[in-house]
Amino acid sequence: MAKDMTLLWGSGSPPCWRVMIALEEKGLQGYDHKLLSFEKMEHKSQEVLDMNPRGQLPSFKHGSFVLNESYGACMYLESQFKSQGNELIPRCAAEQAMMYQRMFEGLTLTQKMADVIYYNWKVPEGERHDSAVKRNKETLCAELKLWEGYLQKASGSYLAGKSFTLADVTAFPGIAYLFRFGLNEERYPKLTEYYNLLKDRPSIKTSWPPTWLDDPQAKDLLKDI
Amino acid sequence: MAKDMTLLWGSGSPPCWRVMIALEEKGLQGYDHKLLSFEKMEHKSQEVLDMNPRGQLPSFKHGSFVLNESYGACMYLESQFKSQGNELIPRCAAEQAMMYQRMFEGLTLTQKMADVIYYNWKVPEGERHDSAVKRNKETLCAELKLWEGYLQKASGSYLAGKSFTLADVTAFPGIAYLFRFGLNEERYPKLTEYYNLLKDRPSIKTSWPPTWLDDPQAKDLLKDI
């Protein structure tokens, strides 16, 4: 039980989902939590700003310690609850190296995905260019081919090898996002296999974004990637 | 001695510098290394691509384990050489939480800085807008005010408190970059104090970018931030 933890979160946000998966994996259920709406701008509410001056979700606290950065929260939870629940950092040096490498490459994947999906949201109307949209799509496509190759050559079903690690905790929410936005399953068979394997893992199934359950596919924005 | 490690690096690159500081802090001198030139596009050479399909520096190997992501390399080195050199992750949970929080906020700081400094390099000529330049500068200014506030309220001289940690290893190179590009010392007195304290730390002084020694200030691009 984790009564001394508080999570303010938004449905579908990869950073929020990472923290929720880590909490499940570490057996830290029962934390206080509150689902907020990005659409209603609740991430800019005073309640969030009091915990997180950036006005972003997740906002997460363990007692009085604030860990709003999702990667930071995941690392901290694994470190502080090492012997509880599932161990998320492999002891084997080779798998550990691979885990750290993929974990931080995951930030690049998420960024390149966001550059495509949120282009109109992030770039004011007068500054938009078809050439930038095209380039962002090509960049994401090249990135996805890298990951498809990683999974082809992997020594196990997970990103760092035979066990589920922090690399999967942090990368999976972004990969789920890709499929929600219509990624072509035939073009990326290994990513599809990985997605299908992980989506039924208990920590992931339990924390699946509630708004996605009613509306499994958002748009076919990525169908040509 | 670290004869089983290889680092391909570029002078002044914050990600390369992070790994070099971590190696010094862990007492891992004597590694094989090669200074490459970004200007000559040597980061796209076959030698780099063989280690790093992204064609980026740093490219780093420990034996056959590849760790090209600077945050990943730093985490791995601390984990594998925990009892060697300086401990870079505090044992105290409060300082550890603060370390992880600041460490990952550091990525945002570096990104916002790059959006200003590398605007013309990253955005093709026909897609540039004065409104974007202005917004990027305002965004960086707001970010720097956050960090100035963090240091004002800090319980010690370092980002996570009284000891030098991975938060400093990862954030310092970006902060040094700010001053190299003319950040106003009077406007950011705590950041200036932090920069002046850390620049003489042996691990940092030893790994100072060689191209910066002859040419300490690049441009005054950030003087109005």
Side-chain angles (χ1 to χ4, degrees), chain A residues 22-205:
Chain A
L23 286 162
E24 291 295 325
E25 291 286 337
K26 301 310 292 178
L28 292 163
Q29 287 87 3
Y31 52 90
D32 277 335
H33 70 100
K34 191 168 178 180
L35 174 59
L36 298 177
S37 159
F38 291 111
E39 289 71 26
K40 294 181 187 159
M41 295 294 285
E42 289 174 347
H43 53 298
K44 300 296 179 191
S45 65
Q46 197 55 48
E47 183 179 14
V48 174
L49 290 169
D50 286 345
M51 260 168 83
N52 188 345
R54 297 181 184 276
Q56 290 176 340
L57 301 175
S59 292
F60 178 69
K61 266 205 302 200
H62 176 209
S64 62
F65 310 152
V66 172
L67 286 138
N68 298 323
E69 295 292 320
S70 63
Y71 271 61
C74 291
M75 292 294 315
Y76 171 85
L77 291 171
E78 177 57 22
S79 168
Q80 293 294 314
F81 299 93
K82 196 166 169 46
S83 57
Q84 184 175 320
N86 295 322
E87 248 185 68
L88 298 172
I89 299 182
R91 293 183 186 197
C92 153
E95 288 203 6
Q96 194 178 106
M98 184 64 94
M99 183 204 82
Y100 283 125
Q101 174 62 18
R102 295 287 176 261
M103 188 174 169
F104 291 98
E105 285 189 86
L107 286 171
T108 301
L109 171 63
T110 310
Q111 184 57 53
K112 290 179 177 173
M113 180 182 74
D115 288 344
V116 172
I117 294 178
Y118 293 118
Y119 185 77
N120 284 350
W121 182 80
K122 290 202 295 185
V123 182
E125 199 169 351
E127 296 176 16
R128 293 178 201 155
H129 295 272
D130 291 343
S131 49
V133 170
K134 184 169 175 282
R135 190 173 57 250
N136 289 347
K137 284 189 175 179
E138 287 165 357
T139 303
L140 177 59
C141 181
E143 181 72 24
L144 291 176
K145 284 182 182 154
L146 269 183
W147 288 82
E148 185 70 16
Y150 294 159
L151 287 166
Q152 261 163 20
K153 284 176 231 140
S155 61
S157 304
Y158 300 98
L159 287 174
K162 293 189 176 55
S163 55
F164 180 90
T165 68
L166 283 181
D168 304 294
V169 172
T170 50
F172 179 79
I175 290 169
Y177 225 82
L178 292 166
F179 287 100
R180 181 166 164 75
F181 277 84
L183 193 73
N184 186 317
E185 299 193 359
E186 284 168 27
R187 209 170 295 150
Y188 299 99
K190 295 302 290 183
L191 272 165
T192 303
E193 196 182 308
Y194 175 79
Y195 171 69
N196 285 329
L197 172 72
L198 265 71
K199 75 179 168 43
D200 291 324
R201 189 176 172 91
S203 65
I204 288 174
K205 209 168 177 176

Side-chain angles (χ1 to χ4, degrees), chain B residues 139-158:
Chain B
T139 302
L140 177 59
C141 181
E143 181 71 25
L144 292 175
K145 283 182 181 153
L146 269 182
W147 288 83
E148 184 71 15
Y150 293 159
L151 287 166
Q152 260 162 21
K153 286 176 229 139
S155 61
S157 304
Y158 299 98

Side-chain angles (χ1 to χ4, degrees), chain B residues 15-145:
Chain B
C16 295
W17 199 1
R18 287 175 194 139
V19 180
M20 296 170 87
I21 296 170
L23 286 162
E24 291 294 325
E25 291 286 339
K26 301 311 291 179
L28 292 163
Q29 288 87 1
Y31 52 89
D32 277 334
H33 70 98
K34 189 167 179 182
L35 174 58
L36 298 176
S37 159
F38 291 111
E39 289 71 26
K40 294 181 188 159
M41 296 294 285
E42 289 175 346
H43 53 299
K44 300 296 179 192
S45 64
Q46 198 54 48
E47 183 179 15
V48 174
L49 290 169
D50 286 344
M51 260 169 83
N52 188 344
R54 296 180 183 277
Q56 291 175 340
L57 302 175
S59 293
F60 178 70
K61 266 206 301 199
H62 177 208
S64 61
F65 311 153
V66 172
L67 286 138
N68 298 323
E69 296 291 319
S70 63
Y71 271 60
C74 291
M75 292 292 316
Y76 171 84
L77 291 171
E78 176 57 21
S79 168
Q80 294 294 315
F81 300 92
K82 197 168 168 46
S83 57
Q84 184 176 320
N86 295 321
E87 247 185 68
L88 298 172
I89 299 182
R91 293 183 185 198
C92 153
E95 288 202 7
Q96 193 178 106
M98 184 65 94
M99 184 205 81
Y100 282 124
Q101 174 62 20
R102 294 288 177 261
M103 187 173 169
F104 291 99
E105 285 188 87
L107 287 171
T108 301
L109 171 62
T110 310
Q111 184 58 52
K112 290 179 177 173
M113 180 181 75
D115 288 344
V116 172
I117 294 179
Y118 293 117
Y119 185 78
N120 284 351
W121 182 81
K122 290 203 297 185
V123 181
E125 198 169 352
E127 294 176 16
R128 292 178 201 155
H129 294 273
D130 291 343
S131 50
V133 171
K134 183 168 175 283
R135 190 174 56 251
N136 289 348
K137 284 189 175 180
E138 287 164 359
T139 302
L140 177 59
C141 181
E143 181 71 25
L144 292 175
K145 283 182 181 153

